[in-house]
Amino acid sequence: MILTVLALLGMQQGIADRLSGRVPADVGAVVESLGTSAAARGLPIDPLIQKAIEGSAKGVPSARVIAAVRLVAMQLDTAAAALRAGGMISDTLAIAAGAFAINAGMDAGDITNLLMRRGGQTTVNVRLELNVAGTLVAIGVPSAEAADLVSASLQTGRPATDLLSLPSLVQGEVARGATPAQAAAGLARAAAAQARHGPPPGRPQPPPHPPSSPHP
Amino acid sequence: MSEYDFHPLVKQLLDGDITIADLPAELRAEGEEALRLLAAVDRSPVALPAIPQRVMRALTRPPQRFPRWLLAPALALAAALVLWLGRSHGPMATPGSEAAITVHFVLSAPGARAVSVAGTFNQWDPRASPLVRAGANGMWTATLKLPAGQHQYAFVVDGVRWVPDPAAPAVDDGYGRRNSVLTL
């Protein structure tokens, strides 16, 4: 009990140190409180700190920064619940990835479905899947289709890092006139076929590694 | 000179190196006086029975038990110290960071006087990662090494205007603007 209390006090001091000089005092006090409470619930605190620093860097009034940080805390709670519902003993990074996906517009139920359809993948891959799914939603793919595409791609047996190429593949299809939903559905069908029959002969594989630049 | 600062020969007499007969005649009185003083000294052994007994008691005393009620606070302090040390030293470990990946940022801003990129990878510091003008066509570029994971960022034009990357996906930043997203 005492250990826990002291650990949380240390956590609070750590938050204060990171916020020192970066946010107004009133914002700092709220974030310290929210962060300590979040840590006690097993949630990551970095997204809260980042959001506070971001708001202050952008010159946003304190009240709005606090509101944004509270929203992030809620998203973290929602993500943690979705991961638990999906049978995932989650770590803080997976929860942060889930919160990002939720902020991008992904439905918590789709996160749970995605996790339930995956096999015995490692927690590292959960973060990757949720980050990619969130990015797909951010470019306009509907939440359920994003989960379907990530799930289907996992079934192909290719390395999980191949998921990183999915957003650029969708954007490529969109550039050719498809909607994001159509692009994601087409790629998911192709992945499902590949999972059943193997890759089509002569068809080039997606790059094994993600593009190294947002502007390749 | 002190009261008993004897002649060196007298000191030899006291030490037993010579006898009174070996002294010159003028020193014999001094030698006899020294011998008389020496004889008056009580040479019986000094009895200090309490000291060895106290020493032995200290050596054979069983070690005192650490009070149990102090154990939890002591462990807690140790844990807090470990936490503090972990926070104070070494670089803060970026969650999930693996090998750094080179990322090339580009923005077309012909009228800008300065452009930088700020995001989760540099604590949203607009001064941390400036872009440089590339040629005369208003292109600004910067190359950064970022850890694997998901990053959010925006360009900062002329130090005041936050602009999302038009070539990257974006999400709501919670402040009425958009943050660009980069997943590595």
Side-chain angles (χ1 to χ4, degrees):
Chain A
M1 178 66 176
I2 295 173
L3 283 173
T4 304
V5 170
L6 282 175
L8 291 177
L9 286 175
M11 175 79 68
Q12 195 165 11
Q13 185 58 45
I15 296 170
D17 290 347
R18 286 187 62 187
L19 295 176
S20 177
R22 299 298 310 271
V23 303
D26 54 345
V27 173
V30 173
V31 176
E32 284 174 33
S33 172
L34 284 172
T36 305
S37 170
R41 301 197 300 280
L43 303 178
I45 61 169
D46 192 63
L48 305 175
I49 295 170
Q50 288 276 0
K51 186 53 67 180
I53 291 174
E54 175 192 347
S56 295
K58 290 179 175 178
V60 177
S62 292
R64 193 159 185 186
V65 174
I66 290 169
V69 173
R70 288 190 192 281
L71 177 62
V72 172
M74 290 172 56
Q75 291 168 339
L76 291 169
D77 272 320
T78 304
L83 265 65
R84 282 195 301 271
M88 184 59 53
I89 300 173
S90 52
D91 64 9
T92 54
L93 297 178
I95 294 171
F100 157 70
I102 287 169
N103 183 51
M106 194 161 189
D107 185 77
D110 291 325
I111 290 177
T112 299
N113 290 337
L114 172 61
L115 296 177
M116 292 179 75
R117 278 184 280 176
R118 69 199 302 280
Q121 305 281 344
T122 66
T123 307
V124 173
N125 289 343
V126 172
R127 301 171 211 158
L128 181 61
E129 293 155 27
L130 294 174
N131 280 330
V132 170
T135 305
L136 289 171
V137 174
I139 61 179
V141 176
S143 175
E145 278 80 354
D148 288 343
L149 175 54
V150 171
S151 182
S153 300
L154 284 173
Q155 303 304 317
T156 62
R158 291 210 299 267
T161 49
D162 279 9
L163 295 175
L164 289 165
S165 64
L166 291 178
S168 59
L169 291 174
V170 169
Q171 286 177 310
E173 296 297 319
V174 170
R176 283 189 280 275
T179 65
Q182 290 168 339
L187 289 168
R189 281 195 301 273
Q194 182 178 339
R196 285 193 301 272
H197 309 296
R203 180 172 178 173
Q205 294 292 307
H209 299 292
S212 63
S213 163
H215 308 283
Chain B
M1 183 178 281
S2 69
E3 185 180 358
Y4 299 116
D5 192 5
F6 295 112
H7 190 279
L9 288 175
V10 175
K11 291 179 180 177
Q12 290 183 26
L13 171 67
L14 294 175
D15 290 340
D17 296 337
I18 57 176
T19 64
I20 190 79
D22 297 326
L23 289 176
E26 66 272 18
L27 291 177
R28 285 185 183 164
E30 185 180 334
E32 288 170 353
E33 173 65 10
L35 288 172
R36 189 184 60 79
L37 289 172
L38 186 63
V41 173
D42 182 2
R43 295 171 185 256
S44 60
V46 177
L48 296 172
I51 292 177
Q53 285 171 13
R54 283 205 302 270
V55 170
M56 288 308 293
R57 270 204 305 272
L59 289 174
T60 57
R61 184 185 303 141
Q64 286 188 333
R65 283 180 179 276
F66 192 77
R68 288 184 179 175
W69 60 271
L70 275 176
L71 190 60
L75 284 172
L77 284 173
L81 184 62
V82 168
L83 284 172
W84 181 78
L85 288 173
R87 183 169 50 77
S88 304
H89 297 284
M92 182 186 297
T94 304
S97 64
E98 293 162 7
I101 298 166
T102 301
V103 178
H104 196 54
F105 292 92
V106 179
L107 180 70
S108 174
R113 294 187 306 277
V115 178
S116 63
V117 59
T120 50
F121 44 80
N122 63 8
Q123 301 295 303
W124 295 98
D125 184 351
R127 293 160 299 185
S129 307
L131 276 69
V132 296
R133 196 189 299 268
N137 56 356
M139 301 301 288
W140 296 76
T141 66
T143 301
L144 303 179
K145 288 188 178 300
L146 303 180
Q150 182 258 125
H151 305 278
Q152 296 187 29
Y153 66 97
F155 292 114
V156 186
V157 177
D158 295 335
V160 293
R161 196 157 56 91
W162 292 72
V163 179
D165 188 340
V171 293
D172 181 13
D173 73 348
Y175 301 120
R177 303 187 182 98
R178 307 281 289 171
N179 284 339
S180 300
V181 174
L182 177 60
T183 302
L184 302 172

